[in-house]
Amino acid sequence: MKLNLKAKVYLTIIAVIAILSFSSLIIYFDVQDLNMMLFWIILSIIVESLLIPMPNDSIGVSVGYAINIASIIVGGPLLATTSSALGFLFRIPKVRGRGYIHTLNLPLYKTIFNISQSIIVTSIISITYLITGGIVGQFSLIPTLLILVFGVVLNTIILSGFLSLFNNQKFMGVWVSNLKGILPSAIAVGTMGIIVALAFIGYGYGAVILFFGPLLLARYSFKLYIEMRNVYLSTIDALNKSLEAKDPYTSGHAARVEKFAVELAEAYNLPYESIQNIKTAAVLHDIGKIGINDGILNKASKLTSEEYEQIMRHPAIGADIISKVDFLKSITGIIKHHHERYDGKGYPDGLAGKDIPIEACILTIADSYDAMTTDRPYRKALTREEAIEEIRKNSGTQFHPGLSEKFISIMCD
């Protein structure tokens, strides 16, 4: 993807700060033992190469933070910053669909950002370690715990700043979401780094190799967890696609609903985490139709009251399916209530007004607009203007009034 101007300026500032930081470290610090530096560089390259891809493939995580914390304690600012930066520069991770990749076949901006972020974070927290009483080559509890948390906060601030500018999203929402997602695992991985440092201080190189095994085991466990999430999501997505395949009139419906819903959620200034939930819910919102008879779904004439009652069951069926998947539980309410009406005449529970989750209200408008503007077995598509007029007419009855107004303004711009 192409960087926008704000992201380019941010990247330039980050790169300049990194150059200045590293230059200062060279001036004020040195490395007494080059063999030790080479040892930590190799460890850093290994762990950074064992990157774990996240579900959207846009970002990966490693257990490099453990090596970072350990190298600060045993080697000081220059050694730690150098090994961390070179770990990113020379890593060769395996990426799904692309095989093994290296610096030369990555976009230049990603390489610059990763290395710059690494230099800035490592140099700042290693200086913090010294300022707060930490001694290189010795374990100091309070300074170590301090940089363990500070490093995570600093990492997420820099990363969130870039992502918010790159994706035109609000910084606080992106940062809070990243911090909540990364903090527990980063603290656990950083703690492993403390153990590795203690092993090195107490018993030397061999002990580090010994404790490297548990670190890789922790990485493997996390990888299995991520892969399990991917399998769940792939399975549900396949079910959704099979639903669209048996009903050609709804082909592409989920993707379009996702686009409309996200645009509306962003315009309504919902938090980043809510927008992510809406994205997922939009893709899966009709999953409950799997439990509805094909003859009813594809019926070209008007439904009988019994058939309509069957259709009305699909939000509850979908919510029941989703509720069985632990990491999708947060969107169960959105799936279940995306056919509620603002005046309380919707289904399945007849919720009204503020009792309906705001995310479900957004999905209702996006779903209805796309349904109105596409051909169905029982009618031809409305024009864009006719669909907008329907939303205007039903604002305050079928649709949330504030969201209706915002959606109409988006579609009319």
Side-chain angles (χ1 to χ4, degrees):
M1 289 182 68
K2 199 172 180 181
L3 290 182
N4 58 39
L5 180 59
K6 288 181 181 176
K8 285 179 181 175
V9 171
Y10 183 81
L11 183 61
T12 303
I13 292 172
I14 291 294
V16 170
I17 293 174
I19 291 170
L20 293 174
S21 300
F22 195 66
S23 301
S24 300
L25 292 181
I26 292 174
I27 293 171
Y28 293 107
F29 298 94
D30 59 6
V31 176
Q32 300 293 333
D33 188 339
L34 291 179
N35 289 330
M36 189 165 84
M37 173 178 267
L38 181 62
F39 176 76
W40 290 100
I41 289 173
I42 291 172
L43 287 185
S44 183
I45 293 172
I46 291 173
V47 294
E48 291 300 342
S49 296
L50 296 173
L51 202 63
I52 302 169
M54 298 303 282
N56 59 8
D57 286 336
S58 63
I59 191 171
V61 297
S62 75
V63 291
Y65 193 51
I67 299 303
N68 215 14
I69 292 293
S71 60
I72 289 171
I73 297 170
V74 304
L78 185 56
L79 182 146
T81 305
T82 304
S83 64
S84 174
L86 293 181
F88 275 105
L89 183 62
F90 294 115
R91 68 180 179 177
I92 310 175
K94 187 176 184 180
V95 176
R96 187 167 43 240
R98 295 183 60 189
Y100 289 98
I101 62 170
H102 51 77
T103 297
L104 297 179
N105 59 19
L106 276 176
L108 182 60
Y109 76 85
K110 284 190 177 180
T111 301
I112 293 174
F113 177 78
N114 286 332
I115 295 174
S116 299
Q117 181 190 24
S118 166
I119 290 174
I120 292 171
V121 172
T122 310
S123 59
I124 289 177
I125 65 173
S126 57
I127 297 295
T128 303
Y129 178 73
L130 297 180
I131 291 174
T132 54
I135 299 172
V136 175
Q138 297 181 24
F139 175 65
S140 310
L141 179 61
I142 300 301
T144 302
L145 294 178
L146 188 62
I147 64 169
L148 190 64
V149 177
F150 185 36
V152 180
V153 173
L154 205 52
N155 255 316
T156 51
I157 286 175
I158 296 174
L159 176 63
S160 303
F162 183 72
L163 291 178
S164 63
L165 292 172
F166 190 74
N167 298 314
N168 288 315
Q169 294 170 328
K170 290 190 173 182
F171 169 78
M172 282 304 294
V174 177
W175 180 56
V176 170
S177 178
N178 277 330
L179 191 61
K180 284 170 64 179
I182 293 173
L183 187 62
S185 58
I187 295 296
V189 169
T191 303
M192 292 293 293
I194 296 173
I195 296 171
V196 170
L198 288 172
F200 184 85
I201 293 169
Y203 304 100
Y205 293 97
V208 172
I209 302 299
L210 190 64
F211 280 95
F212 203 54
L215 183 61
L216 294 182
L217 183 62
R219 178 258 178 200
Y220 181 67
S221 299
F222 187 58
K223 180 173 178 284
L224 289 181
Y225 169 71
I226 294 298
E227 287 177 348
M228 182 187 70
R229 284 174 57 104
N230 286 342
V231 169
Y232 275 129
L233 287 173
S234 299
T235 303
I236 292 172
D237 190 45
L239 288 173
N240 207 41
K241 282 188 167 53
S242 68
L243 178 68
E244 291 195 346
K246 73 176 185 177
D247 180 5
Y249 286 95
T250 60
S251 179
H253 173 65
R256 293 191 298 272
V257 171
E258 178 188 357
K259 174 179 175 294
F260 295 137
V262 169
E263 285 180 358
L264 180 54
E266 288 177 348
Y268 205 67
N269 291 323
L270 283 197
Y272 177 80
E273 197 164 348
S274 292
I275 294 174
Q276 297 308 306
N277 284 338
I278 288 171
K279 285 180 74 171
T280 308
V283 173
L284 301 174
H285 73 282
D286 276 340
I287 193 73
K289 286 185 177 175
I290 284 175
I292 307 299
N293 185 285
D294 287 4
I296 298 175
L297 283 178
N298 296 313
K299 189 174 180 181
S301 55
K302 188 177 179 181
L303 297 177
T304 65
S305 57
E306 291 78 15
E307 289 169 338
Y308 190 61
E309 282 180 11
Q310 288 290 311
I311 288 286
M312 289 166 65
R313 291 177 55 226
H314 85 268
I317 295 173
D320 187 50
I321 293 171
I322 295 300
S323 68
K324 303 292 190 300
V325 184
D326 187 57
F327 63 91
L328 292 177
K329 284 181 178 174
S330 59
I331 66 167
T332 302
I334 309 175
I335 300 286
K336 186 175 183 180
H337 299 299
H338 77 276
H339 277 289
E340 304 286 2
R341 289 171 52 111
Y342 198 73
D343 58 8
K345 296 179 180 176
Y347 59 88
D349 293 339
L351 300 182
K354 292 181 179 177
D355 291 337
I356 308 171
I358 191 72
E359 296 90 345
C361 293
I362 287 175
L363 198 55
T364 301
I365 294 177
D367 185 33
S368 300
Y369 177 80
D370 187 68
M372 286 190 281
T373 53
T374 49
D375 288 333
R376 293 300 163 105
Y378 46 88
R379 61 149 175 79
K380 284 291 181 186
L382 301 183
T383 65
R384 176 175 168 276
E385 290 73 21
E386 288 171 335
I388 290 173
E389 185 54 32
E390 282 296 312
I391 290 175
R392 194 192 312 276
K393 263 186 357 188
N394 292 288
S395 174
T397 52
Q398 182 177 356
F399 304 118
H400 184 294
L403 288 170
S404 302
E405 183 183 347
K406 188 66 73 177
F407 186 75
I408 291 169
S409 69
I410 293 171
M411 300 310 291
C412 292
D413 277 347

